[in-house]
């Protein structure tokens, strides 16, 4: 039987049909909206993208640069950020692209970055909180926070809070928070922020942070009513990026193998964040959650609870307040 199957697998028809299937599956991943068909220009606008040295963030930055924006790459690694800077400048022809160092897992780094922006920039029209990580080892940061929660949620929360006045002054402006469909698997337990009661199996910590992203975004949007600053969250799709870099080789290999057929490329994963940030269709829309095909969908039930949103926001304010 094994010999018979080996004949089938080695037959040219099998390889051709497999290739056709792969092409069909990859075609099915594409969103209905394509940024290259969007004529919106960003000349005179300033945008910040966190985690812009690789993956989705780099393609978002490249798109904004092609539209003529002043683009600030907020990256943790100076070496990788510099490489992305040159690539984006060369690929867009826009030299008004700049690198600023930011580690969202460190409140000190976030405050230093924000202080630099407030000193250097007169306006800010788009803030994309894209930086995030999964599979991080158990660790408590210098701020006493669980590292996944610090990186994926508390850091972006503080950054946004510190830049809110500049965004309001520059209105109309947009805040785009990259979450995930895995927020549906998340749970709300405020002890998680300090690493208590937290199970790291199957990357539960990542799922929890993605749920908090959506809850926070919705409450932020409520607080920004009347300011002409919008805030939305989204699922970019299951994307072939370096988000799995903290996992062991076997898991990364399987992820990439399956991903070749089923997952989006990083460029495709950038479509929905770009849609939320620049499209005319999303102008004025706030407090919503977008799926990877750029459609509006309902988020998980906890994200629809206004009382929980208030509790979330106030809790994060206390965590980030200077003592």
């Amino acid at each position: 039987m094994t010999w018979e199957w080996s004949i089938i697998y080695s037959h040219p028809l099998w390889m051709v049909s497999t290739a056709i299937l792969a092409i069909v599956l990859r075609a099915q991943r594409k969103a209905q909206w394509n940024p290259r068909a969007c004529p919106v220009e960003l000349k005179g606008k300033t945008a910040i993208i966190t985690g812009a040295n690789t993956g989705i963030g780099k393609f978002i930055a490249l798109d904004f640069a092609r539209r003529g924006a002043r683009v600030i790459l907020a990256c943790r690694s100076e070496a990788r950020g510099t490489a992305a800077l040159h690539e984006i400048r060369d690929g867009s022809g826009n030299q008004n692209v700049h690198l600023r160092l930011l580690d969202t897992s460190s409140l000190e780094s976030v405050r230093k970055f924000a202080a630099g922006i407030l000193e250097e920039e007169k306006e800010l029209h788009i803030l994309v909180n894209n930086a995030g990580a999964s599979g991080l080892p158990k660790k408590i940061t210098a701020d006493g926070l669980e590292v996944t929660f610090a990186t994926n949620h508390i850091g972006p929360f503080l950054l946004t809070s510190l830049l809110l006045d500049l965004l309001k002054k520059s209105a109309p402006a947009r805040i785009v928070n990259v979450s995930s469909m895995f927020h549906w698997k998340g749970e709300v337990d405020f002890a998680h922020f300090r690493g208590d009661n937290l199970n790291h199996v199957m990357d539960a910590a990542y799922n929890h942070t993605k749920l908090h992203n959506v809850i926070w975004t919705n409450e932020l949007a409520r607080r920004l009513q009347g300011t002409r600053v919008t805030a939305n969250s989204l699922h970019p799709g299951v994307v072939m990026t370096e988000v799995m870099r903290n996992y062991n080789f076997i898991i990364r290999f399987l992820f990439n193998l399956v991903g070749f057929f089923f997952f989006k490329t990083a460029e495709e994963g950038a479509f929905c964040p770009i849609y939320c940030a620049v499209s005319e269709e999303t102008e004025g829309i706030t407090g919503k959650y977008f799926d990877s095909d750029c459609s509006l969908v309902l988020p998980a039930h906890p994200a629809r609870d206004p009382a929980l949103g208030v509790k979330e926001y106030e809790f994060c304010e206390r965590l980030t307040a200077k003592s």
Side-chain angles (χ1 to χ4, degrees), residues 191-267:
H192 289 164
F193 285 77
R194 298 291 189 183
D196 299 326
N197 303 332
L198 188 57
N199 187 338
H200 286 266
V201 175
M202 296 301 291
D203 210 17
Y206 175 83
N207 300 338
H208 301 331
T209 62
K210 294 294 106 176
L211 175 57
H212 283 285
N213 288 165
V214 185
I215 296 172
W216 157 53
T217 304
N218 292 348
E219 174 60 15
L220 174 62
R222 187 188 69 80
R223 292 175 181 236
L224 288 171
Q225 289 287 349
T227 65
R228 295 196 303 152
V229 179
T230 62
N232 294 293
S233 56
L234 62 95
H235 167 52
V238 182
V239 183
M240 292 277 287
T241 67
E242 294 185 19
V243 72
M244 301 294 290
R245 62 182 175 270
N246 298 303
Y247 291 86
N248 65 48
F249 171 78
I250 295 176
I251 293 178
R252 285 186 282 115
F253 173 78
L254 292 174
F255 178 85
N256 292 329
L257 181 64
V258 175
F260 175 79
F261 296 101
F262 295 99
F263 300 164
K264 289 186 175 185
T265 63
E267 182 175 12

Side-chain angles (χ1 to χ4, degrees), residues 138-150:
K138 295 180 182 179
K139 178 186 174 183
I140 301 299
T141 70
D143 302 299
L145 301 170
E146 196 282 326
V147 65
T148 302
F149 275 77

Side-chain angles (χ1 to χ4, degrees), residues 32 60 94 97 121 147 171 185 198 227 242 260 267 319:
Q32 296 178 357
I60 296 172
N94 182 352
V97 181
E121 305 299 330
V147 65
K185 295 184 177 182
L198 188 57
T227 65
E242 294 185 19
F260 175 79
E267 182 175 12
L319 278 184

Side-chain angles (χ1 to χ4, degrees), residues 28-257:
Q28 294 301 312
R29 302 180 323 215
K30 294 183 178 179
Q32 296 178 357
W33 187 85
N34 191 312
R36 292 186 179 273
C38 175
V40 172
E41 293 191 355
L42 295 177
K43 293 179 181 177
K45 305 292 185 181
T46 300
I48 294 174
I49 307 98
T50 68
N53 61 278
T54 188
I56 293 172
K58 186 167 72 173
F59 281 103
I60 296 172
L62 178 60
D63 178 271
F64 291 175
R66 285 171 172 163
R67 296 178 193 276
R70 173 177 172 83
V71 180
I72 298 171
L73 314 179
C75 305
R76 185 176 59 177
S77 166
E78 184 170 10
R80 299 177 71 184
T82 300
L85 173 72
H86 294 310
E87 185 177 341
I88 292 168
R89 283 180 175 177
D90 292 344
S92 65
N94 182 352
Q95 298 302 303
N96 199 6
V97 181
H98 308 275
L99 173 65
R100 300 291 181 267
L101 298 183
L102 171 66
D103 179 356
T104 57
S105 72
S106 165
L107 299 188
E108 180 182 0
S109 175
V110 172
R111 289 192 178 100
K112 183 177 180 180
F113 173 88
I117 293 298
L118 295 176
E119 182 179 345
E120 297 170 2
E121 305 299 330
K122 295 181 180 180
E123 294 182 306
L124 177 60
H125 304 92
I126 301 172
L127 171 61
V128 181
N129 287 306
N130 164 75
S134 65
L136 294 174
K138 295 180 182 179
K139 178 186 174 183
I140 301 299
T141 70
D143 302 299
L145 301 170
E146 196 282 326
V147 65
T148 302
F149 275 77
T151 302
N152 294 358
H153 187 63
I154 290 298
F157 175 91
L158 177 59
L159 174 65
T160 304
S161 299
L162 293 173
L163 298 179
L164 270 185
D165 286 343
L166 183 58
L167 285 158
K168 291 176 184 177
K169 189 180 78 170
S170 310
R174 303 188 192 190
I175 300 166
V176 178
N177 294 329
V178 178
S179 179
S180 168
M181 69 175 183
F182 294 110
H183 84 274
W184 279 88
K185 295 184 177 182
E187 298 175 359
V188 176
D189 182 343
F190 291 103
H192 289 164
F193 285 77
R194 298 291 189 183
D196 299 326
N197 303 332
L198 188 57
N199 187 338
H200 286 266
V201 175
M202 296 301 291
D203 210 17
Y206 175 83
N207 300 338
H208 301 331
T209 62
K210 294 294 106 176
L211 175 57
H212 283 285
N213 288 165
V214 185
I215 296 172
W216 157 53
T217 304
N218 292 348
E219 174 60 15
L220 174 62
R222 187 188 69 80
R223 292 175 181 236
L224 288 171
Q225 289 287 349
T227 65
R228 295 196 303 152
V229 179
T230 62
N232 294 293
S233 56
L234 62 95
H235 167 52
V238 182
V239 183
M240 292 277 287
T241 67
E242 294 185 19
V243 72
M244 301 294 290
R245 62 182 175 270
N246 298 303
Y247 291 86
N248 65 48
F249 171 78
I250 295 176
I251 293 178
R252 285 186 282 115
F253 173 78
L254 292 174
F255 178 85
N256 292 329
L257 181 64

Side-chain angles (χ1 to χ4, degrees), residues 8 13 25 84 145 148 161 221 248 279-280 287 297 315:
I8 295 174
L13 184 59
L25 289 173
L145 301 170
T148 302
S161 299
N248 65 48
S279 74
E280 294 176 337
V297 295
F315 180 84

